[in-house]
Amino acid sequence: MPVDYLSFHADLALIDMSLPTRLGIVATQAITAHGPATRVVALLMEGDEPYRDPLQIAGASVVLHRGYGHELLTTLHAEWSDETSEELRKKRGV
């Protein structure tokens, strides 16, 4: 049975761009339109770099490359803790 994500009021959503075609972008748009306070972290696969900008335009707060588990956990914790992007960049040394 499909789950209606609009019935949830999530603080954090994780979008995996291994979803077919542009479904991850559509899902990100729907999530941020329904719950603007929901922080969206998107995961890209190799070759998905062209989706980075559309994901950010759709409302993803962070876009990461898949396969960096430690970075994903750090990012999820930062987003869950509501750290600002600037604080996160400082932690990463960017």
Side-chain angles (χ1 to χ4, degrees), residues 3-17:
V3 176
D4 178 12
Y5 69 87
L6 294 178
S7 65
F8 294 97
H9 299 284
D11 295 320
L12 183 64
L14 182 61
I15 299 293
D16 189 340
M17 282 306 294

Side-chain angles (χ1 to χ4, degrees), residues 11-61:
D11 295 320
L12 183 64
L14 182 61
I15 299 293
D16 189 340
M17 282 306 294
S18 64
L19 294 168
T21 59
R22 298 176 58 91
L23 191 56
I25 296 167
V26 172
T28 299
Q29 288 170 327
I31 290 166
T32 57
H34 174 70
T38 302
R39 311 279 297 210
V40 177
V41 175
L43 296 175
L44 297 178
M45 304 241 341
E46 188 173 325
D48 285 341
E49 191 60 34
Y51 294 121
R52 177 178 295 280
D53 289 342
L55 281 164
Q56 290 174 325
I57 291 167
S61 53

